């Protein structure tokens, strides 16, 4: 059983808007992403009555740290009083990182077909590239060790794995799950709820 955890996806980046595979590239928030982060912080102010009882943890990527800092500022908290956790970084797309699917197909026709067929277990080419299953195996021990209420800023891929290991969502559905930048996900016990 998990304590109350509010999970926030980082705000939008230019690469998100372009449908570019971002993965572990260190990209900044765009204007809309900064607004989304602030609004999520305002929403958390309504939900978190005693923020001092919560641990605040972010992926070490710039977009997640920028989101956390804007979120905390909106909550009237010290923007920099949080910690980072490397296991919360986004999955690596290896050699595909930085490209759109259209660009990959133009360079290597047919190269993305296998991912469409089995998105969950597909591992892109290149050193360090991960599948969703590999990402799940990386992040699950961190979530399983949570012992206090937490606000966590992470990535879409990490949030998709939560639906798989917390609620047993089928692989295909979890891999294709839409993860918005402007909503909060609450994990409590064995239940996930979009807010």
């Amino acid at each position: 059983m998990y304590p109350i955890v509010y999970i926030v996806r980082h705000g939008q980046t230019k690469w998100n808007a372009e449908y570019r595979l971002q993965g572990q590239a260190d990209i900044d928030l765009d204007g809309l992403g900064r607004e989304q982060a602030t609004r999520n912080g305002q929403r958390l102010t309504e939900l978190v009555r005693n923020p001092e009882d919560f641990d605040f943890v972010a992926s070490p990527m710039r977009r997640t740290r920028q989101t956390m800092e804007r979120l905390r500022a909106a909550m009237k908290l010290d923007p920099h009083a949080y910690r980072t956790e490397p296991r919360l970084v986004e999955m690596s797309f290896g050699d595909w990182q930085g490209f759109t699917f259209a660009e990959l197909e133009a360079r290597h026709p047919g190269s993305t077909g296998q991912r469409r067929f089995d998105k969950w277990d597909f591992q892109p080419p290149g050193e360090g590239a991960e599948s969703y299953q590999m990402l799940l195996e990386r992040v699950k021990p961190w979530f399983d060790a949570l012992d206090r209420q937490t606000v966590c800023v992470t990535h879409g891929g990490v949030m998709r794995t939560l639906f798989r290991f917390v609620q047993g969502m089928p692989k295909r559905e979890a891999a294709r799950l839409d993860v918005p930048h402007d909503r909060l996900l609450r994990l409590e016990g064995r239940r996930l709820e979009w807010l």
Side-chain angles (χ1 to χ4, degrees):
M1 298 292 278
Y2 295 98
I4 294 175
V5 184
Y6 292 101
I7 303 120
V8 183
R9 185 181 183 187
H10 62 81
Q12 179 180 279
T13 69
K14 180 181 177 186
W15 281 21
N16 290 133
E18 295 172 351
Y19 299 99
R20 198 166 292 285
L21 293 169
Q22 197 160 224
Q24 294 181 3
D26 218 1
I27 309 299
D28 292 312
L29 298 180
D30 64 16
L32 177 58
R34 291 189 292 273
E35 291 173 16
Q36 291 167 333
T38 297
R39 283 197 306 268
N40 279 332
Q42 292 165 344
R43 179 72 175 113
L44 276 169
T45 301
E46 301 167 7
L47 298 166
V48 175
R49 297 286 178 227
N50 299 303
E52 65 278 0
D53 294 341
F54 280 73
D55 192 14
F56 285 78
V57 187
S59 154
M61 307 298 294
R62 280 201 318 259
R63 59 191 181 270
T64 43
R65 288 185 289 113
Q66 290 167 358
T67 299
M68 178 65 88
E69 289 162 18
R70 294 188 72 87
L71 181 153
R72 285 183 58 84
M75 296 178 75
K76 309 285 192 270
L77 301 171
D78 176 352
H80 304 289
Y82 66 94
R83 61 190 184 88
T84 60
E85 171 52 60
R87 288 176 289 184
L88 294 176
V89 300
E90 182 61 287
M91 64 192 292
S92 171
F93 286 102
D95 293 346
W96 285 12
Q97 202 158 269
F99 294 97
T100 65
F101 284 111
E103 289 168 347
L104 289 169
E105 279 297 316
R107 286 172 164 239
H108 308 285
S111 62
T112 65
Q114 182 61 33
R115 185 174 191 267
R116 283 193 303 274
F117 176 71
D118 183 12
K119 188 175 178 182
W120 184 266
D121 290 305
F122 178 79
Q123 183 178 354
E127 186 176 343
E130 296 173 293
S131 67
Y132 277 105
Q133 184 60 38
M134 293 165 73
L135 176 62
L136 183 155
E137 290 164 10
R138 169 162 50 88
V139 301
K140 187 177 186 302
W142 185 81
F143 279 98
D144 284 345
L146 287 174
D147 59 1
R148 64 180 288 202
Q149 298 178 109
T150 302
V151 172
C152 168
V153 179
T154 188
H155 305 268
V158 171
M159 295 171 80
R160 288 180 184 99
T161 68
L162 273 172
F163 282 88
R164 175 84 179 128
F165 73 76
V166 171
Q167 293 190 173
M169 182 178 280
K171 292 178 180 182
R172 184 176 179 83
E173 189 179 339
R176 297 181 188 287
L177 186 69
D178 181 46
V179 180
H181 297 273
D182 59 354
R183 291 183 70 189
L184 308 174
L185 181 63
R186 180 168 53 206
L187 168 62
E188 186 173 5
R190 301 293 298 179
R191 185 166 177 251
L192 288 162
E193 178 184 11
W194 288 108
L195 304 173

